[in-house]
Amino acid sequence: MSRVAFGAEFSCAEGFLNSPTYGLPPQFMFDALQESLREWQAGTMDVPSFDASVDAGRAGYAALIGVPVDSVAMAGTVSSALGLVAAAIPDGSRVATLSGEFTSTSFPFAAQASRGVTVTELDSDELVTTAGDYDVVTVSLVQSANGAVLDVDALRASVADADTLTVIDVTQALGWKNVELPWADVTVAAVYKWLLAPRGTAWMSLSDRVSSSMVPHAANWYAGEAPWSTIYGLPLRLANDARRFDVSPTWFSVLGSGLTLPWLASLDRAEVEAHALGLASRARTELQLPQEPSAIVSIPTAAAEKLKDAGIRASIRAGAVRVGFHLYNTEDDLDRLLDVLR
């Protein structure tokens, strides 16, 4: 059954509480994707037309984060994007991350151990208070496993008088949370969760001091100043802005990203956040769980099969049922969840 949310139609949203794993496509994006697939099947697909989708997705991400468009690079995954950042930090750098952090955020830095880079796991309070003592902090704004939200104001204050590089993965926040992070050195997000696009694209914003130290290890034709004129031959001629770190676009993913990100950026994001948090807060109250300003709720229950049988689509993370409330969820979804868990 279709459902309209914030002006967009969503099919099969009833009972879907699995947005932390993947988001549902709005009908306008799904229709465009189907048309593109038909063109591919017919052999009539116009490959250069995806450039407009890349531009729109890049602009949408910049608007959602609050950064200049020319600071945004296109990657395939969060880990591959952060791999470029990790490779650029100096030998012997001291990196801080959260205990139990999603490994796409921490592994790229841990992989630099042969250069003397060390990664220390801290609890959230210690991380935000001691961040200025480290060379790099790499952390998710919202934790994947349990929805815990980072105190970004405290983190910003902690590094204000330090040279600490701040790397913030916003994958589990951007789309439902009203995010403004122009001060962060690096932000990164995959598009297939709360940003509602097909898997295959990630966007990353870079401060000048980070981008100036990075090497475009995956330099390719699409990272050129004029991509369609840099397909063959030397010399190296890359874009002067963050586009020099672009990968070649994953066509259908960037098509979706170019539609959903600008749409999400056009919404009243405070209203979207209030909607998601309202449902999550009621769920925590009814289930007698500690309140957390997060759309992700971790429920310590063994009722996963009962939820599935009741048409509730969720996931298991860190031994608990994980649900997420997005803009297409309603009180009906929450009531169905509560009926099973009661």
Side-chain angles (χ1 to χ4, degrees):
M1 183 173 65
S2 294
R3 176 179 291 175
V4 175
F6 290 85
E9 181 182 353
F10 293 87
S11 297
C12 305
E14 184 176 354
F16 184 82
L17 296 176
N18 206 19
S19 296
T21 301
Y22 64 90
L24 295 181
Q27 193 64 45
F28 67 82
M29 187 274 282
F30 189 78
D31 291 342
L33 179 60
Q34 293 300 305
E35 178 59 28
S36 189
L37 290 171
R38 284 191 289 269
E39 291 173 353
W40 174 33
Q41 183 181 48
T44 59
M45 189 169 65
D46 177 28
V47 172
S49 68
F50 291 105
D51 290 352
S53 297
V54 173
D55 293 343
R58 193 189 315 272
Y61 183 79
L64 285 166
I65 289 291
V67 297
V69 173
D70 62 6
S71 73
V72 176
M74 177 176 61
T77 63
V78 166
S79 58
S80 61
L82 293 186
L84 295 178
V85 178
I89 65 176
D91 293 357
S93 291
R94 296 160 301 127
V95 182
T97 191
L98 281 176
S99 298
E101 179 59 83
F102 190 69
T103 52
S104 290
T105 306
S106 59
F107 272 14
F109 296 89
Q112 305 298 315
S114 63
R115 300 196 292 114
V117 173
T118 58
V119 182
T120 302
E121 292 182 298
L122 305 170
D123 65 38
S124 58
D125 289 340
E126 188 176 6
L127 183 137
V128 297
T129 56
T130 66
D133 298 334
Y134 291 87
D135 301 304
V136 182
V137 170
T138 180
V139 64
S140 295
L141 177 54
V142 175
Q143 287 297 301
S144 170
N146 57 20
V149 179
L150 179 72
D151 187 342
V152 288
D153 292 335
L155 176 62
R156 184 179 186 182
S158 182
V159 301
D161 298 320
D163 292 327
T164 306
L165 217 63
T166 53
V167 179
I168 303 179
D169 181 348
V170 296
T171 298
Q172 291 290 4
L174 203 62
W176 70 263
K177 185 172 177 59
N178 191 10
V179 176
E180 288 288 335
L181 291 172
W183 58 271
D185 290 293
V186 180
T187 72
V188 63
V191 302
Y192 68 96
K193 297 180 185 286
W194 304 88
L195 294 174
L196 312 179
R199 183 180 173 96
T201 301
W203 296 104
M204 175 171 64
S205 68
L206 300 165
S207 68
D208 289 341
R209 70 166 175 158
V210 174
S211 62
S212 63
S213 68
M214 286 169 52
V215 175
H217 292 291
N220 65 92
W221 71 278
Y222 205 81
E225 183 62 41
W228 291 98
S229 67
T230 53
I231 298 176
Y232 302 111
L234 292 172
L236 182 70
R237 47 203 191 277
L238 299 179
N240 291 321
D241 58 15
R243 290 194 304 107
R244 68 184 179 276
F245 303 110
D246 278 7
V247 298
S248 183
T250 305
W251 294 332
F252 306 119
S253 179
V254 297
L255 173 66
S257 174
L259 292 169
T260 60
L261 269 69
W263 175 67
L264 288 166
S266 75
L267 301 179
D268 183 329
R269 282 173 276 164
E271 184 179 352
V272 172
E273 180 176 337
H275 172 80
L277 289 183
L279 293 171
S281 177
R282 185 186 156 213
R284 289 187 171 93
T285 297
E286 297 283 350
L287 297 171
Q288 298 183 338
L289 299 172
Q291 287 294 333
E292 174 81 29
S294 176
I296 298 174
V297 182
S298 180
I299 308 170
T301 177
E305 286 302 315
K306 289 184 178 180
L307 290 171
K308 183 178 179 181
D309 292 343
I312 296 293
R313 286 159 285 168
S315 57
I316 304 296
R317 292 294 185 275
V321 170
R322 183 187 69 180
V323 298
F325 297 94
H326 206 354
L327 49 74
Y328 41 63
N329 291 119
T330 67
E331 295 283 348
D332 289 341
D333 299 325
L334 175 55
D335 288 338
R336 183 187 296 191
L337 173 73
L338 295 174
D339 287 343
V340 176
L341 296 181
R342 283 172 180 148

